[in-house]
Amino acid sequence: MPSRIRTTTLPSGEAVPVLGQGTWKMGEDRRRRADEVPALRLGLDLGITLIDTAEMYASGGAEEVVAEAIAGRRDETFLVSKVLPSNASRAGVMRACESSLKRLATDRIDLYLLHWPGTVPLSETVEAFEALKVAGKIRHWGVSNFDTDEMEDLVGLPSGGNVQTNQVLYNLSRRGPDFDLAPWCRKRGIPLMAYSPVEQGALARNARLEAVAVRHNATAAQIALAWAMAQDGVIAIPKASRQEHVRQNTAALDIRLTSEDFVELDRAFPPPTRKRGLEMI
Ligand code: NAP
């Protein structure tokens, strides 16, 4: 991993990059594969070795794109995938994991997440995750779209304390987690994985961010990423199918926002002053 790639530590003690690569919308159109695969490979070359995918994305198509991108490079990749809540029963998790492994053309997933809370008792899903760990099919597990009360319930379960991350919608325009979820996770050393960190492209066109960006000879999207990655224990996972975006996102690791920048960003995107329910995309 190039030295400029900052890392954060999972509760397991393993270091992971604070910048990863998302894959939602990849694998939907075969003609775009010629862009998607090289973009992910470039990310690996640049040291963004954490790749986030899910069985849901393109109904498994995104996992197949990832398989092509990491072919021959599995050991340098930290692979994250997700199981749908409708597959979260013990048998369902086992089946879903096998299918993901097949599509990913690998024998293990590094971090396997429950995509969002569902109706299957959480204790059953956690048991299934633990069984997958014992079988060597996954190395770690975590959750996604869990609010603070749901995290509290989770860590109260047998083995629930083995959760390694909570992946949530978090960016300058979605600061709800700053009120209590992010501090809750930080206190317990559980990294927050920030999805849609450029608000699906919207923050790349934001004038308030552009005003900060000019001071750093950067783009608005890079400022949005630099801000997310400056938060203690946050991993940002932008999706980029253009190589230019992959390069810019990696370069955002070198941006050091000043206290003046943070004040200006707080003014443009005020932190929450009361609890808001966790938003989802
Ligand atoms: P995002 O990463 O905020 O935005 C992706 C969009 O931003 C794409 O259109 C991309 O363009 C563009 N972009 C990327 N880098 C850019 C740059 N430097 N400058 C300008 N534009 C840039 O949105 P997202 O895909 O929703 O979220 C990221 C990942 O989080 C997903 O791919 C997925 O892996 C994960 N996610 C998880 C959940 C969940 O429920 N757990 C929900 C949503 C997302 P190009 O593709 O054209 O390069």
Side-chain angles (χ1 to χ4, degrees), residues 21-26 51-54 56-57 82 113-116 144-145 167-169 171 194-202 204-205 219-222 225 237-249 280-281:
Q21 307 193 72
T23 64
W24 191 20
K25 313 264 167 73
M26 288 191 183
I51 298 183
D52 177 78
T53 189
M56 185 185 92
Y57 302 160
K82 312 184 198 79
L113 310 182
L114 174 60
H115 209 143
W116 63 86
S144 178
N145 297 299
Q167 184 180 115
V168 297
L169 177 60
N171 63 48
Y195 75 67
S196 309
V198 286
E199 188 63 18
Q200 305 202 299
R205 302 180 289 274
T219 67
Q222 286 178 310
L225 290 176
I237 50 165
K239 171 258 184 183
S241 45
R242 290 179 220 189
Q243 297 193 35
E244 186 51 26
H245 286 163
V246 175
R247 280 199 189 87
Q248 289 172 2
N249 295 349
M280 264 181 86
I281 285 185

Side-chain angles (χ1 to χ4, degrees), residues 206-216 220 223 261 264-265:
N206 185 283
R208 307 291 291 270
L209 285 178
E210 273 159 13
V212 175
V214 287
R215 295 203 287 268
H216 293 272
I223 298 301
D261 295 331
E264 197 170 320
L265 291 170

